[in-house]
Amino acid sequence: LATGPRQNNGIFYEIRTYDIKPAKMKEFLEMVSKYFHFRTAHSELVGFWYSELGAMNKVLHIWKYDNFAHRTAVRQALANDKDWQGKFISAALPLVEKQHNEVAYLVPWCQLGKPSKEGGVYEWVTFQMKPGGPALWGEAFRAAINAHINTGYTKLIGVFHTEYGLLNTVHVLWWNESPDQRAAGRHSAHEDARVVAAVRDSVRFLESQKNVLLIPLQCSPLK
């Protein structure tokens, strides 16, 4: 299947999602706060969030790697890190019900952004597109994203296209000052002819969509 153009370098992002046992979420987050510096000593953390709406008892974190050899070296170092294994992993794994990871690239027309200020909330939107990759739906999808950006109510942080995991999946990370600001902006967007037209064109290629409201942890570089 055609995958469309990629960036010229080897940089990719690993997206990890963990389902935490409902009664253990508070304990898990406390452990992250106390011990996660052992993990970030090995590679670059982009962001770490827990779900607030759209999913329950989930955490999501994104890691940046220069290439696959870099990731392999980091994973080997982590396996040999006694502090990380002994103080976090051994205690955290019993709190986790399920783990899921994906490898994704930023789409070529998007650079990783940052919010205009700390605070606020993030929205993680997952689009399952029809098979064929960006060569089929890339232009229409980009037009729909740009139409939302042009309304001015939300800030785009990143658009990630999967390479490993469920293919033809696109994750879009947005930032808003508050859930209410996001809601007001969405209502306005629904009445904007430019957004309606762009979405109508893009949705022809859409299989499903899921939105999750995320709250950043204190250890998250994206806050």
Side-chain angles (χ1 to χ4, degrees):
L1 295 178
T3 57
R6 292 292 191 199
Q7 61 212 29
N8 292 326
N9 56 47
I11 292 173
F12 67 84
Y13 298 84
E14 183 175 7
I15 302 164
R16 287 184 162 246
T17 306
Y18 297 168
D19 288 15
I20 309 301
K21 293 178 180 179
K24 299 297 184 178
M25 189 65 164
K26 183 175 183 291
E27 183 180 350
F28 182 86
L29 295 180
E30 288 175 348
M31 290 185 59
V32 170
S33 177
K34 188 174 182 180
Y35 295 120
F36 215 65
H37 63 281
F38 293 126
R39 174 61 185 84
T40 54
H42 289 278
S43 65
E44 181 179 348
L45 176 66
V46 174
F48 197 133
W49 304 265
Y50 66 88
S51 61
E52 179 71 12
L53 296 171
M56 297 293 291
N57 301 301
K58 286 184 180 288
V59 296
L60 183 150
H61 37 121
I62 303 175
W63 300 90
K64 181 179 179 180
Y65 293 102
D66 296 334
N67 48 47
F68 288 97
H70 178 208
R71 181 186 183 274
T72 297
V74 169
R75 301 303 298 174
Q76 291 174 344
L78 287 169
N80 294 320
D81 187 324
K82 294 182 179 179
D83 284 329
W84 174 243
Q85 295 294 331
K87 295 180 179 179
F88 184 83
I89 291 296
S90 60
L93 283 182
L95 313 181
V96 177
E97 287 192 330
K98 186 168 59 176
Q99 294 174 288
H100 176 69
N101 78 325
E102 298 169 285
V103 166
Y105 293 98
L106 283 173
V107 297
W109 44 268
C110 171
Q111 294 184 345
L112 196 62
K114 292 184 178 181
S116 55
K117 59 182 179 181
E118 288 191 3
V121 295
Y122 291 79
E123 184 177 8
W124 183 252
V125 189
T126 299
F127 299 90
Q128 186 58 44
M129 309 301 290
K130 292 183 182 297
L136 175 67
W137 41 257
E139 291 185 8
F141 188 87
R142 180 180 183 178
I145 295 297
N146 284 336
H148 283 88
I149 293 172
N150 292 337
T151 62
Y153 80 90
T154 187
K155 178 173 178 58
L156 179 66
I157 302 300
V159 181
F160 304 88
H161 178 216
T162 56
E163 183 75 6
Y164 287 98
L166 187 59
L167 295 183
N168 296 291
T169 302
V170 184
H171 300 291
V172 183
L173 183 62
W174 301 94
W175 178 86
N176 285 281
E177 290 188 11
S178 69
D180 286 318
Q181 187 225 15
R182 183 263 184 194
R186 289 285 290 175
H187 290 313
S188 298
H190 291 161
E191 299 175 355
D192 189 313
R194 298 167 300 173
V195 176
V196 172
V199 170
R200 183 179 290 125
D201 187 40
S202 178
V203 79
R204 296 182 294 122
F205 306 106
L206 181 65
E207 297 280 3
S208 65
Q209 176 180 339
K210 183 174 183 179
N211 295 31
V212 179
L213 188 73
L214 300 174
I215 308 298
L217 274 66
Q218 187 60 38
C219 68
S220 177
L222 286 174
K223 291 187 175 67

